[in-house]
Amino acid sequence: MNEIRFHNTLGGKVEAFVPQKPAEVRMYTCGPTVYDYAHIGNFRTFVFQDILRRFLKLRGFKMKHVMNLTDVDDRIIANAAAAGVSIRDYTEKFAQAFFDDCKTLSIEAPEHWIRATDHIDDMVKLIERLQKKSFTYPGEGSIYYRIAKFPQYGKLSNIDVTGIQAGARVDNDRYEKESARDFALWKAPKSGEHFWDTPIGKGRPGWHIECSAMAMKYLGETLDIHTGGIDLAFPHHENEIAQSEAATGKPFARYWMHSEHLLVEGEKMSKSLGNFYTLRDLFAKGYKPSALRFALASVPYRKQLNFTFDGLQQAASSVERLRNFAARLAQGKFPAGNQKGMAARIGEAAEEFDAGLSDDLNTARALAAAFDLLRETNIAMDKDDFRQGDVPAVQEFLANFNRIFAVMDDNDDERLRALGFGPKESGPADAEIEKLIADRQSARQRRDFAASDRIRKELADRGILIEDSKDGSVRWKRK
Ligand code: AMP
Ligand code: ZN
Protein backbone atom coordinates (compact mmCIF):
# COMPACT_ATOMS: atom_id res chain seq x y z
CA MET A 1 0.00 0.00 0.00
CA ASN A 2 1.09 3.52 -0.78
CA GLU A 3 2.01 6.17 1.74
CA ILE A 4 -0.90 8.59 2.16
CA ARG A 5 0.12 12.14 1.33
CA PHE A 6 -2.09 15.20 1.71
CA HIS A 7 -1.61 18.87 0.97
CA ASN A 8 -1.59 20.81 4.22
CA THR A 9 -2.67 24.44 3.88
CA LEU A 10 -0.71 25.01 7.08
CA GLY A 11 2.79 25.15 5.61
CA GLY A 12 1.60 24.85 2.02
CA LYS A 13 3.19 21.45 1.31
CA VAL A 14 2.16 17.93 0.45
CA GLU A 15 3.10 15.79 3.48
CA ALA A 16 2.83 12.20 4.68
CA PHE A 17 -0.43 11.81 6.59
CA VAL A 18 0.06 10.26 10.02
CA PRO A 19 -2.76 10.66 12.56
CA GLN A 20 -2.07 10.96 16.29
CA LYS A 21 -3.49 7.54 17.11
CA PRO A 22 -2.38 4.89 14.63
CA ALA A 23 -5.81 3.58 13.71
CA GLU A 24 -8.12 6.55 14.24
CA VAL A 25 -8.70 9.85 12.44
CA ARG A 26 -10.32 12.76 14.22
CA MET A 27 -11.73 15.08 11.61
CA TYR A 28 -13.85 18.22 11.71
CA THR A 29 -15.63 19.72 8.74
CA CYS A 30 -17.40 23.04 8.74
CA GLY A 31 -20.93 22.22 7.68
CA PRO A 32 -23.48 24.35 5.89
CA THR A 33 -24.98 27.56 7.13
CA VAL A 34 -28.61 26.55 7.07
CA TYR A 35 -30.20 29.82 5.97
CA ASP A 36 -31.04 28.52 2.49
CA TYR A 37 -30.67 25.39 0.35
CA ALA A 38 -27.03 24.36 -0.14
CA HIS A 39 -25.80 24.86 -3.73
CA ILE A 40 -23.67 22.66 -5.98
CA GLY A 41 -20.55 24.63 -4.97
CA ASN A 42 -21.15 23.67 -1.34
CA PHE A 43 -21.65 20.09 -2.47
CA ARG A 44 -18.34 20.12 -4.31
CA THR A 45 -16.77 20.61 -0.91
CA PHE A 46 -19.03 18.12 0.88
CA VAL A 47 -18.39 15.44 -1.77
CA PHE A 48 -14.63 16.03 -1.42
CA GLN A 49 -14.93 15.55 2.33
CA ASP A 50 -16.97 12.40 1.78
CA ILE A 51 -14.34 10.97 -0.57
CA LEU A 52 -11.68 11.82 2.01
CA ARG A 53 -13.52 10.00 4.79
CA ARG A 54 -14.37 7.03 2.57
CA PHE A 55 -10.74 6.71 1.50
CA LEU A 56 -9.46 6.83 5.08
CA LYS A 57 -12.02 4.16 6.02
CA LEU A 58 -10.99 2.00 3.08
CA ARG A 59 -7.43 2.27 4.35
CA GLY A 60 -8.57 0.88 7.69
CA PHE A 61 -8.88 3.99 9.87
CA LYS A 62 -11.74 4.34 12.29
CA MET A 63 -13.29 7.73 11.69
CA LYS A 64 -14.33 10.17 14.36
CA HIS A 65 -15.81 12.78 12.11
CA VAL A 66 -17.82 15.79 13.22
CA MET A 67 -19.82 18.06 10.96
CA ASN A 68 -21.68 21.00 12.35
CA LEU A 69 -24.71 22.81 11.09
CA THR A 70 -24.17 26.53 11.46
CA ASP A 71 -27.62 27.43 12.64
CA VAL A 72 -26.72 30.76 14.25
CA ASP A 73 -25.20 33.49 12.17
CA ASP A 74 -26.00 37.07 11.25
CA ARG A 75 -28.14 36.13 8.25
CA ILE A 76 -30.09 33.42 10.07
CA ILE A 77 -30.87 35.62 13.05
CA ALA A 78 -31.95 38.51 10.83
CA ASN A 79 -34.06 36.29 8.54
CA ALA A 80 -35.73 34.51 11.46
CA ALA A 81 -36.54 37.87 13.09
CA ALA A 82 -37.93 39.21 9.81
CA ALA A 83 -40.11 36.10 9.40
CA GLY A 84 -41.21 36.32 13.05
CA VAL A 85 -40.20 32.72 13.81
CA SER A 86 -37.68 31.07 16.12
CA ILE A 87 -34.22 30.17 14.86
CA ARG A 88 -35.08 26.46 15.02
CA ASP A 89 -38.27 26.94 13.04
CA TYR A 90 -36.46 28.99 10.44
CA THR A 91 -33.51 26.62 9.96
CA GLU A 92 -35.31 23.28 10.32
CA LYS A 93 -36.52 23.14 6.73
CA PHE A 94 -33.02 23.83 5.35
CA ALA A 95 -31.33 21.43 7.79
CA GLN A 96 -33.72 18.68 6.71
CA ALA A 97 -33.17 19.51 3.05
CA PHE A 98 -29.42 19.30 3.64
CA PHE A 99 -29.68 15.83 5.19
CA ASP A 100 -31.90 14.71 2.30
CA ASP A 101 -29.49 16.15 -0.27
CA CYS A 102 -26.53 14.38 1.36
CA LYS A 103 -28.39 11.09 1.24
CA THR A 104 -29.32 11.66 -2.39
CA LEU A 105 -25.66 12.24 -3.28
CA SER A 106 -24.47 9.22 -1.23
CA ILE A 107 -22.61 11.46 1.20
CA GLU A 108 -22.11 9.33 4.30
CA ALA A 109 -23.32 10.63 7.63
CA PRO A 110 -20.40 11.63 9.87
CA GLU A 111 -20.20 10.08 13.34
CA HIS A 112 -21.57 13.34 14.81
CA TRP A 113 -23.94 15.83 13.23
CA ILE A 114 -24.14 18.74 15.60
CA ARG A 115 -25.82 22.10 15.73
CA ALA A 116 -24.34 25.34 16.96
CA THR A 117 -27.51 26.21 18.90
CA ASP A 118 -27.04 23.07 21.06
CA HIS A 119 -23.56 24.20 22.14
CA ILE A 120 -23.91 27.79 23.33
CA ASP A 121 -22.62 26.80 26.81
CA ASP A 122 -19.44 25.34 25.35
CA MET A 123 -18.84 28.55 23.40
CA VAL A 124 -19.38 30.68 26.49
CA LYS A 125 -16.90 28.53 28.46
CA LEU A 126 -14.28 28.89 25.75
CA ILE A 127 -14.74 32.66 25.71
CA GLU A 128 -14.32 32.66 29.51
CA ARG A 129 -11.03 30.78 29.12
CA LEU A 130 -9.86 33.41 26.65
CA GLN A 131 -11.01 36.18 28.98
CA LYS A 132 -8.93 34.73 31.82
CA LYS A 133 -5.85 34.80 29.60
CA SER A 134 -6.59 38.40 28.48
CA PHE A 135 -7.11 37.54 24.83
CA THR A 136 -10.37 39.46 24.83
CA TYR A 137 -11.70 42.95 25.38
CA PRO A 138 -15.25 44.30 25.57
CA GLY A 139 -16.82 46.90 23.33
CA GLU A 140 -20.44 48.11 23.31
CA GLY A 141 -21.79 44.88 24.76
CA SER A 142 -19.75 42.64 22.45
CA ILE A 143 -16.52 40.75 23.23
CA TYR A 144 -13.62 40.91 20.79
CA TYR A 145 -10.53 38.79 20.24
CA ARG A 146 -7.22 40.68 20.55
CA ILE A 147 -5.26 39.47 17.50
CA ALA A 148 -2.13 41.42 18.50
CA LYS A 149 -1.72 39.09 21.48
CA PHE A 150 -1.44 36.03 19.22
CA PRO A 151 1.77 36.52 17.22
CA GLN A 152 1.19 33.46 15.05
CA TYR A 153 -1.97 35.00 13.62
CA GLY A 154 -1.89 34.58 9.83
CA LYS A 155 0.11 31.33 9.76
CA LEU A 156 -2.59 29.39 7.93
CA SER A 157 -3.61 31.86 5.25
CA ASN A 158 -0.41 33.96 5.20
CA ILE A 159 -2.49 37.08 5.64
CA ASP A 160 -0.39 40.17 6.30
CA VAL A 161 -1.05 41.39 9.82
CA THR A 162 1.38 44.30 9.86
CA GLY A 163 -1.46 46.73 9.23
CA ILE A 164 -3.39 45.70 12.34
CA GLN A 165 -4.37 48.71 14.38
CA ALA A 166 -5.19 48.53 18.03
CA GLY A 167 -8.96 48.46 18.41
CA ALA A 168 -9.77 48.08 14.69
CA ARG A 169 -12.53 45.55 14.96
CA VAL A 170 -15.20 43.96 12.88
CA ASP A 171 -18.57 42.58 13.84
CA ASN A 172 -19.41 40.92 10.57
CA ASP A 173 -18.30 37.25 10.51
CA ARG A 174 -17.81 37.09 6.74
CA TYR A 175 -15.54 40.05 6.10
CA GLU A 176 -13.44 40.74 3.09
CA LYS A 177 -10.01 39.40 2.45
CA GLU A 178 -7.65 42.36 2.65
CA SER A 179 -7.34 42.91 6.33
CA ALA A 180 -6.99 40.99 9.56
CA ARG A 181 -9.00 42.69 12.28
CA ASP A 182 -10.09 41.93 15.80
CA PHE A 183 -13.24 39.87 15.42
CA ALA A 184 -16.25 39.38 17.63
CA LEU A 185 -16.33 36.30 19.85
CA TRP A 186 -19.66 37.34 21.30
CA LYS A 187 -22.05 39.87 19.83
CA ALA A 188 -24.31 42.26 21.68
CA PRO A 189 -28.02 41.66 21.08
CA LYS A 190 -29.74 43.68 18.37
CA SER A 191 -33.22 44.91 19.03
CA GLY A 192 -35.92 42.48 17.93
CA GLU A 193 -33.42 39.65 17.37
CA HIS A 194 -32.84 36.48 19.33
CA PHE A 195 -30.22 36.47 22.10
CA TRP A 196 -28.98 34.16 24.86
CA ASP A 197 -28.65 35.30 28.47
CA THR A 198 -25.31 33.89 29.71
CA PRO A 199 -22.60 34.49 32.34
CA ILE A 200 -20.65 36.59 29.80
CA GLY A 201 -23.67 38.73 29.04
CA LYS A 202 -26.65 38.78 26.72
CA GLY A 203 -25.99 38.17 23.07
CA ARG A 204 -25.01 35.53 20.55
CA PRO A 205 -21.82 33.78 19.53
CA GLY A 206 -19.69 34.84 16.59
CA TRP A 207 -19.40 32.23 13.85
CA HIS A 208 -15.72 31.42 14.48
CA ILE A 209 -16.07 30.53 18.17
CA GLU A 210 -18.80 28.04 17.28
CA CYS A 211 -16.45 25.76 15.38
CA SER A 212 -13.56 26.04 17.87
CA ALA A 213 -15.80 25.10 20.78
CA MET A 214 -17.64 22.26 19.04
CA ALA A 215 -14.55 20.73 17.41
CA MET A 216 -12.64 20.56 20.70
CA LYS A 217 -15.63 19.26 22.64
CA TYR A 218 -15.99 16.18 20.42
CA LEU A 219 -12.46 15.64 19.15
CA GLY A 220 -10.11 16.89 21.86
CA GLU A 221 -7.79 19.88 21.79
CA THR A 222 -5.75 18.71 18.78
CA LEU A 223 -7.59 17.38 15.73
CA ASP A 224 -6.02 15.30 12.99
CA ILE A 225 -7.77 16.97 10.06
CA HIS A 226 -9.82 20.13 9.67
CA THR A 227 -11.44 20.78 6.30
CA GLY A 228 -13.59 23.26 4.41
CA GLY A 229 -13.74 25.17 1.17
CA ILE A 230 -10.82 27.49 0.41
CA ASP A 231 -12.88 30.59 1.22
CA LEU A 232 -12.92 29.47 4.86
CA ALA A 233 -9.12 29.54 5.30
CA PHE A 234 -9.31 33.27 6.04
CA PRO A 235 -10.80 34.56 8.22
CA HIS A 236 -12.79 31.62 9.58
CA HIS A 237 -10.08 29.00 10.08
CA GLU A 238 -7.41 31.53 10.93
CA ASN A 239 -9.69 32.76 13.70
CA GLU A 240 -10.45 29.22 14.86
CA ILE A 241 -6.70 28.64 15.26
CA ALA A 242 -6.27 31.93 17.14
CA GLN A 243 -9.10 31.10 19.55
CA SER A 244 -8.29 27.45 20.16
CA GLU A 245 -4.52 27.72 20.42
CA ALA A 246 -4.69 30.79 22.65
CA ALA A 247 -6.99 28.87 25.01
CA THR A 248 -5.14 25.54 25.06
CA GLY A 249 -1.54 26.35 24.15
CA LYS A 250 -1.63 23.30 21.83
CA PRO A 251 -1.80 22.97 18.05
CA PHE A 252 -5.50 22.99 17.07
CA ALA A 253 -5.37 20.87 13.91
CA ARG A 254 -2.45 19.05 12.34
CA TYR A 255 -3.66 18.91 8.73
CA TRP A 256 -5.78 21.60 7.12
CA MET A 257 -7.36 20.52 3.85
CA HIS A 258 -9.21 23.04 1.67
CA SER A 259 -11.05 22.45 -1.59
CA GLU A 260 -11.00 24.92 -4.43
CA HIS A 261 -14.24 26.42 -5.60
CA LEU A 262 -16.69 25.27 -8.19
CA LEU A 263 -17.33 27.68 -11.06
CA VAL A 264 -20.21 27.47 -13.53
CA GLU A 265 -19.22 27.77 -17.19
CA GLY A 266 -16.04 29.50 -16.02
CA GLU A 267 -17.79 32.08 -13.84
CA LYS A 268 -18.35 32.49 -10.15
CA MET A 269 -21.77 31.13 -9.32
CA SER A 270 -24.20 33.82 -8.26
CA LYS A 271 -27.91 34.32 -8.19
CA SER A 272 -27.60 37.60 -10.08
CA LEU A 273 -25.78 35.92 -12.98
CA GLY A 274 -28.54 33.31 -13.24
CA ASN A 275 -25.99 30.47 -12.99
CA PHE A 276 -26.78 29.45 -9.43
CA TYR A 277 -27.93 25.85 -8.90
CA THR A 278 -29.11 23.79 -6.00
CA LEU A 279 -29.33 20.02 -6.37
CA ARG A 280 -33.06 20.32 -6.79
CA ASP A 281 -32.64 22.75 -9.70
CA LEU A 282 -30.61 20.12 -11.55
CA PHE A 283 -32.93 17.24 -10.68
CA ALA A 284 -35.86 19.29 -11.96
CA LYS A 285 -34.00 19.53 -15.28
CA GLY A 286 -33.81 15.73 -15.42
CA TYR A 287 -30.21 15.17 -14.28
CA LYS A 288 -29.48 12.28 -11.96
CA PRO A 289 -27.82 12.28 -8.54
CA SER A 290 -25.14 9.77 -9.61
CA ALA A 291 -24.13 11.95 -12.57
CA LEU A 292 -23.78 14.97 -10.31
CA ARG A 293 -21.80 13.05 -7.71
CA PHE A 294 -19.50 11.72 -10.42
CA ALA A 295 -19.03 15.20 -11.92
CA LEU A 296 -18.21 16.69 -8.51
CA ALA A 297 -15.88 13.85 -7.52
CA SER A 298 -13.98 13.55 -10.77
CA VAL A 299 -11.90 16.74 -10.48
CA PRO A 300 -9.18 16.59 -7.79
CA TYR A 301 -10.20 18.79 -4.89
CA ARG A 302 -7.37 21.29 -5.18
CA LYS A 303 -8.27 22.18 -8.75
CA GLN A 304 -11.09 24.56 -9.52
CA LEU A 305 -14.01 22.62 -10.88
CA ASN A 306 -15.65 24.15 -13.92
CA PHE A 307 -19.20 22.87 -13.87
CA THR A 308 -20.90 22.66 -17.29
CA PHE A 309 -23.98 20.85 -18.53
CA ASP A 310 -21.82 19.09 -21.13
CA GLY A 311 -19.62 17.86 -18.31
CA LEU A 312 -22.66 16.67 -16.39
CA GLN A 313 -23.87 14.78 -19.46
CA GLN A 314 -20.45 13.17 -19.84
CA ALA A 315 -20.52 12.21 -16.18
CA ALA A 316 -23.89 10.53 -16.77
CA SER A 317 -22.37 8.54 -19.67
CA SER A 318 -19.41 7.51 -17.52
CA VAL A 319 -21.73 6.23 -14.80
CA GLU A 320 -23.69 4.34 -17.43
CA ARG A 321 -20.51 2.76 -18.79
CA LEU A 322 -19.56 1.63 -15.32
CA ARG A 323 -22.97 0.13 -14.64
CA ASN A 324 -23.11 -1.56 -18.04
CA PHE A 325 -19.70 -3.04 -17.41
CA ALA A 326 -20.77 -4.40 -14.02
CA ALA A 327 -23.88 -5.90 -15.65
CA ARG A 328 -21.81 -7.48 -18.42
CA LEU A 329 -19.54 -9.05 -15.82
CA ALA A 330 -22.46 -10.34 -13.80
CA GLN A 331 -24.49 -11.65 -16.71
CA GLY A 332 -21.80 -12.74 -19.15
CA LYS A 333 -21.04 -16.40 -19.70
CA PHE A 334 -17.35 -16.56 -20.33
CA PRO A 335 -15.24 -19.64 -21.01
CA ALA A 336 -14.04 -21.34 -17.82
CA GLY A 337 -10.55 -20.79 -16.41
CA ASN A 338 -8.34 -17.74 -16.07
CA GLN A 339 -6.82 -15.61 -18.77
CA LYS A 340 -3.04 -15.46 -18.65
CA GLY A 341 -1.88 -12.12 -17.19
CA MET A 342 -5.37 -10.98 -16.17
CA ALA A 343 -4.92 -11.38 -12.41
CA ALA A 344 -1.72 -9.32 -12.60
CA ARG A 345 -3.47 -6.67 -14.71
CA ILE A 346 -6.29 -6.34 -12.15
CA GLY A 347 -3.73 -6.13 -9.34
CA GLU A 348 -1.95 -3.37 -11.21
CA ALA A 349 -5.21 -1.41 -11.62
CA ALA A 350 -5.97 -1.77 -7.90
CA GLU A 351 -2.48 -0.55 -7.05
CA GLU A 352 -2.83 2.45 -9.37
CA PHE A 353 -6.27 3.24 -7.92
CA ASP A 354 -4.80 3.33 -4.42
CA ALA A 355 -1.74 5.27 -5.60
CA GLY A 356 -4.02 7.92 -7.12
CA LEU A 357 -6.03 8.42 -3.96
CA SER A 358 -2.95 8.30 -1.74
CA ASP A 359 -1.50 11.07 -3.90
CA ASP A 360 -3.41 13.90 -2.20
CA LEU A 361 -6.73 12.35 -3.17
CA ASN A 362 -6.12 12.50 -6.91
CA THR A 363 -9.54 11.29 -7.99
CA ALA A 364 -8.80 11.84 -11.68
CA ARG A 365 -5.89 9.39 -11.47
CA ALA A 366 -7.98 6.85 -9.56
CA LEU A 367 -10.77 7.12 -12.15
CA ALA A 368 -8.30 6.68 -14.99
CA ALA A 369 -7.12 3.44 -13.35
CA ALA A 370 -10.70 2.16 -13.27
CA PHE A 371 -11.61 3.21 -16.81
CA ASP A 372 -8.38 1.78 -18.27
CA LEU A 373 -9.22 -1.57 -16.72
CA LEU A 374 -12.81 -1.31 -17.91
CA ARG A 375 -11.79 -0.53 -21.50
CA GLU A 376 -9.20 -3.29 -21.67
CA THR A 377 -11.56 -5.83 -20.13
CA ASN A 378 -14.36 -4.90 -22.52
CA ILE A 379 -12.00 -5.36 -25.47
CA ALA A 380 -10.86 -8.70 -24.08
CA MET A 381 -14.49 -9.80 -23.73
CA ASP A 382 -15.24 -8.72 -27.31
CA LYS A 383 -12.33 -10.83 -28.53
CA ASP A 384 -13.24 -13.83 -26.39
CA ASP A 385 -10.08 -13.29 -24.41
CA PHE A 386 -11.78 -13.05 -21.04
CA ARG A 387 -12.39 -15.99 -18.70
CA GLN A 388 -15.01 -16.68 -16.06
CA GLY A 389 -12.39 -17.29 -13.39
CA ASP A 390 -11.32 -13.62 -13.54
CA VAL A 391 -14.81 -12.27 -12.89
CA PRO A 392 -14.61 -12.18 -9.07
CA ALA A 393 -11.35 -10.20 -9.04
CA VAL A 394 -12.75 -7.55 -11.41
CA GLN A 395 -15.90 -7.41 -9.30
CA GLU A 396 -13.82 -6.90 -6.19
CA PHE A 397 -11.99 -4.05 -7.90
CA LEU A 398 -15.36 -2.46 -8.74
CA ALA A 399 -16.62 -2.95 -5.19
CA ASN A 400 -13.58 -1.10 -3.85
CA PHE A 401 -14.04 1.56 -6.48
CA ASN A 402 -17.63 1.97 -5.36
CA ARG A 403 -16.66 2.31 -1.71
CA ILE A 404 -15.11 5.62 -2.74
CA PHE A 405 -17.11 6.85 -5.72
CA ALA A 406 -20.49 5.35 -4.77
CA VAL A 407 -22.17 5.60 -8.17
CA MET A 408 -22.59 1.96 -9.19
CA ASP A 409 -25.96 1.17 -7.62
CA ASP A 410 -28.90 1.84 -9.86
CA ASN A 411 -30.86 3.85 -7.29
CA ASP A 412 -31.27 7.26 -8.91
CA ASP A 413 -34.98 7.02 -9.60
CA GLU A 414 -35.74 5.82 -6.12
CA ARG A 415 -33.74 8.69 -4.62
CA LEU A 416 -35.36 11.23 -6.86
CA ARG A 417 -38.79 9.96 -5.90
CA ALA A 418 -37.85 10.30 -2.23
CA LEU A 419 -37.12 13.97 -2.91
CA GLY A 420 -40.46 14.37 -4.67
CA PHE A 421 -39.20 14.20 -8.24
CA GLY A 422 -41.49 11.49 -9.60
CA PRO A 423 -41.76 10.70 -13.29
CA LYS A 424 -43.47 13.69 -14.87
CA GLU A 425 -46.85 13.33 -16.49
CA SER A 426 -45.68 15.57 -19.27
CA GLY A 427 -43.15 12.93 -20.29
CA PRO A 428 -39.38 12.71 -20.07
CA ALA A 429 -37.24 15.69 -19.09
CA ASP A 430 -35.45 17.71 -21.77
CA ALA A 431 -32.05 16.33 -20.88
CA GLU A 432 -33.29 12.78 -21.29
CA ILE A 433 -34.86 13.55 -24.64
CA GLU A 434 -31.69 15.17 -25.88
CA LYS A 435 -29.68 12.19 -24.73
CA LEU A 436 -31.99 9.79 -26.62
CA ILE A 437 -31.80 11.95 -29.74
CA ALA A 438 -28.00 11.98 -29.53
CA ASP A 439 -28.05 8.18 -29.17
CA ARG A 440 -30.28 7.96 -32.22
CA GLN A 441 -27.92 10.20 -34.21
CA SER A 442 -24.96 8.00 -33.39
CA ALA A 443 -26.97 4.90 -34.28
CA ARG A 444 -27.70 6.49 -37.66
CA GLN A 445 -24.04 7.33 -38.14
CA ARG A 446 -23.23 3.68 -37.48
CA ARG A 447 -25.99 2.86 -40.01
CA ASP A 448 -27.72 0.91 -37.24
CA PHE A 449 -31.20 1.79 -38.46
CA ALA A 450 -32.92 -0.77 -36.28
CA ALA A 451 -31.57 1.00 -33.19
CA SER A 452 -32.41 4.42 -34.56
CA ASP A 453 -36.01 3.34 -35.29
CA ARG A 454 -36.31 1.83 -31.86
CA ILE A 455 -35.32 5.12 -30.25
CA ARG A 456 -37.70 7.09 -32.47
CA LYS A 457 -40.52 4.75 -31.43
CA GLU A 458 -39.59 4.99 -27.75
CA LEU A 459 -39.71 8.77 -27.97
CA ALA A 460 -43.04 8.66 -29.83
CA ASP A 461 -44.49 6.34 -27.20
CA ARG A 462 -43.46 8.83 -24.57
CA GLY A 463 -45.09 11.72 -26.38
CA ILE A 464 -42.11 13.21 -28.20
CA LEU A 465 -42.13 13.89 -31.93
CA ILE A 466 -38.85 14.30 -33.73
CA GLU A 467 -38.21 15.85 -37.06
CA ASP A 468 -35.01 15.46 -39.08
CA SER A 469 -34.11 18.63 -40.92
CA LYS A 470 -32.16 18.81 -44.17
CA ASP A 471 -28.99 20.12 -42.54
CA GLY A 472 -28.77 16.97 -40.44
CA SER A 473 -29.96 18.55 -37.18
CA VAL A 474 -32.94 17.21 -35.28
CA ARG A 475 -35.84 19.17 -33.86
CA TRP A 476 -38.27 17.78 -31.33
CA LYS A 477 -41.50 18.75 -29.66
CA ARG A 478 -43.96 17.32 -27.20
CA LYS A 479 -47.19 15.98 -28.74
P1 AMP B 1 -21.37 27.85 3.91
O1 AMP B 1 -22.74 27.25 3.99
O2 AMP B 1 -21.34 29.15 3.16
O3 AMP B 1 -20.72 27.98 5.27
O4 AMP B 1 -20.48 26.86 3.04
C1 AMP B 1 -20.42 25.47 3.24
C2 AMP B 1 -19.18 24.91 2.58
O5 AMP B 1 -19.21 25.12 1.16
C3 AMP B 1 -17.88 25.58 3.06
O6 AMP B 1 -16.88 24.59 3.23
C4 AMP B 1 -17.53 26.51 1.91
O7 AMP B 1 -16.14 26.76 1.86
C5 AMP B 1 -17.98 25.70 0.73
N1 AMP B 1 -18.25 26.49 -0.50
C6 AMP B 1 -18.96 27.65 -0.63
N2 AMP B 1 -19.02 28.05 -1.92
C7 AMP B 1 -18.34 27.12 -2.65
C8 AMP B 1 -18.04 26.94 -4.05
N3 AMP B 1 -18.48 27.79 -5.00
N4 AMP B 1 -17.31 25.86 -4.41
C9 AMP B 1 -16.87 24.96 -3.47
N5 AMP B 1 -17.12 25.07 -2.16
C10 AMP B 1 -17.85 26.12 -1.73
ZN1 ZN C 1 -16.24 26.28 10.85
Side-chain angles (χ1 to χ4, degrees):
M1 265 199 279
N2 299 279
E3 179 180 66
I4 299 177
R5 296 175 67 78
F6 289 148
H7 179 269
N8 192 347
T9 312
L10 185 62
K13 290 201 197 69
V14 177
E15 303 170 9
F17 172 71
V18 185
Q20 297 163 95
K21 287 193 188 167
E24 180 186 278
V25 175
R26 281 176 261 168
M27 171 159 120
Y28 185 85
T29 57
C30 295
T33 310
V34 280
Y35 77 107
D36 202 344
Y37 292 102
H39 54 64
I40 54 172
N42 301 136
F43 279 104
R44 195 267 155 123
T45 292
F46 297 130
V47 166
F48 141 63
Q49 291 158 351
D50 183 57
I51 300 250
L52 173 60
R53 80 169 257 128
R54 283 169 175 272
F55 172 57
L56 291 169
K57 277 173 60 183
L58 189 64
R59 289 290 297 257
F61 294 104
K62 183 169 167 281
M63 293 303 293
K64 236 178 155 184
H65 177 196
V66 175
M67 190 191 279
N68 73 304
L69 295 182
T70 303
D71 62 351
V72 211
D73 96 331
D74 298 333
R75 294 167 294 186
I76 290 173
I77 296 209
N79 288 2
V85 296
S86 69
I87 291 182
R88 229 350 118 81
D89 283 343
Y90 181 77
T91 56
E92 197 49 40
K93 169 175 151 196
F94 301 118
Q96 209 46 58
F98 180 70
F99 294 142
D100 291 344
D101 284 355
C102 284
K103 214 163 152 199
T104 309
L105 277 194
S106 295
I107 293 174
E108 283 188 349
E111 282 62 39
H112 302 276
W113 279 122
I114 55 175
R115 288 170 196 245
T117 46
D118 291 333
H119 297 83
I120 303 293
D121 281 354
D122 302 291
M123 298 165 200
V124 168
K125 287 201 187 95
L126 184 56
I127 296 171
E128 285 173 330
R129 269 172 95 177
L130 290 168
Q131 281 177 326
K132 284 204 190 89
K133 293 185 157 187
S134 310
F135 278 97
T136 69
Y137 61 90
E140 289 148 35
S142 297
I143 301 173
Y144 293 90
Y145 184 94
R146 196 190 302 277
I147 289 181
K149 198 172 151 60
F150 187 72
Q152 297 165 56
Y153 192 88
K155 68 179 173 179
L156 180 71
S157 59
N158 296 320
I159 187 97
D160 181 9
V161 294
T162 47
I164 276 202
Q165 296 159 22
R169 41 185 224 218
V170 61
D171 239 28
N172 183 356
D173 288 329
R174 306 217 176 210
Y175 48 97
E176 279 312 315
K177 307 250 174 248
E178 308 77 58
S179 67
R181 274 183 286 173
D182 288 350
F183 55 92
L185 296 163
W186 187 256
K187 299 181 181 190
K190 281 195 197 146
S191 105
E193 292 188 357
H194 184 84
F195 65 87
W196 282 265
D197 195 357
T198 75
I200 55 170
K202 291 185 176 139
R204 63 193 203 230
W207 174 35
H208 317 299
I209 199 75
E210 296 176 11
C211 285
S212 279
M214 292 188 283
M216 294 198 291
K217 171 168 181 158
Y218 289 89
L219 300 172
E221 293 183 341
T222 302
L223 329 175
D224 290 311
I225 305 180
H226 196 313
T227 69
I230 190 66
D231 57 309
L232 298 192
F234 178 82
H236 185 51
H237 291 161
E238 199 71 71
N239 292 352
E240 283 187 39
I241 291 177
Q243 297 164 151
S244 304
E245 298 192 357
T248 68
K250 296 180 190 158
F252 175 46
R254 297 170 63 242
Y255 299 86
W256 288 86
M257 296 176 69
H258 291 104
S259 51
E260 284 294 330
H261 268 195
L262 170 147
L263 305 175
V264 173
E265 310 279 354
E267 288 191 281
K268 191 175 154 121
M269 191 166 58
S270 84
K271 285 191 177 157
S272 58
L273 287 176
N275 65 357
F276 181 97
Y277 301 106
T278 64
L279 263 55
R280 284 142 217 260
D281 294 334
L282 298 182
F283 299 153
K285 288 177 185 287
Y287 294 99
K288 302 214 161 138
S290 57
L292 182 59
R293 178 173 169 99
F294 188 96
L296 296 178
S298 58
V299 177
Y301 76 98
R302 287 186 57 232
K303 282 205 174 127
Q304 279 192 338
L305 188 158
N306 188 22
F307 175 87
T308 63
F309 285 96
D310 274 355
L312 191 52
Q313 201 65 62
Q314 278 165 26
S317 310
S318 299
V319 171
E320 210 174 287
R321 274 180 71 203
L322 284 162
R323 291 181 184 174
N324 288 342
F325 179 61
R328 193 174 182 190
L329 273 173
Q331 291 154 16
K333 296 240 178 316
F334 308 102
N338 291 80
Q339 183 72 19
K340 188 162 172 283
M342 192 61 195
R345 178 65 193 90
I346 299 165
E348 213 177 271
E351 158 65 24
E352 177 58 15
F353 183 73
D354 181 71
L357 293 171
S358 302
D359 171 18
D360 196 22
L361 231 51
N362 187 340
T363 46
R365 187 172 160 195
L367 283 172
F371 278 94
D372 284 349
L373 180 68
L374 177 153
R375 197 183 52 250
E376 289 168 30
T377 310
N378 265 331
I379 292 172
M381 288 170 174
D382 292 344
K383 293 203 290 199
D384 259 348
D385 280 349
F386 186 78
R387 298 286 171 268
Q388 195 65 35
D390 294 316
V391 168
V394 183
Q395 285 177 326
E396 192 190 319
F397 175 91
L398 285 181
N400 260 352
F401 169 88
N402 204 42
R403 278 194 203 123
I404 304 288
F405 286 95
V407 292
M408 301 294 293
D409 301 335
D410 186 5
N411 54 17
D412 287 298
D413 291 342
E414 185 189 311
R415 289 180 177 199
L416 287 173
R417 269 197 300 279
L419 279 190
F421 291 89
K424 290 201 198 93
E425 277 173 24
S426 56
D430 293 8
E432 195 184 341
I433 298 167
E434 262 140 35
K435 168 77 177 52
L436 284 167
I437 289 177
D439 290 349
R440 175 172 169 272
Q441 290 288 76
S442 41
R444 280 156 61 103
Q445 272 155 19
R446 293 195 308 270
R447 310 191 65 75
D448 182 352
F449 297 111
S452 110
D453 285 346
R454 205 167 47 240
I455 296 172
R456 176 190 275 272
K457 179 160 184 327
E458 181 190 339
L459 283 164
D461 290 346
R462 298 171 73 184
I464 308 300
L465 288 178
I466 55 180
E467 195 184 304
D468 296 307
S469 62
K470 286 203 189 78
D471 62 6
S473 66
V474 180
R475 278 195 288 269
W476 62 268
K477 59 178 187 226
R478 293 181 204 287
K479 267 193 235 172

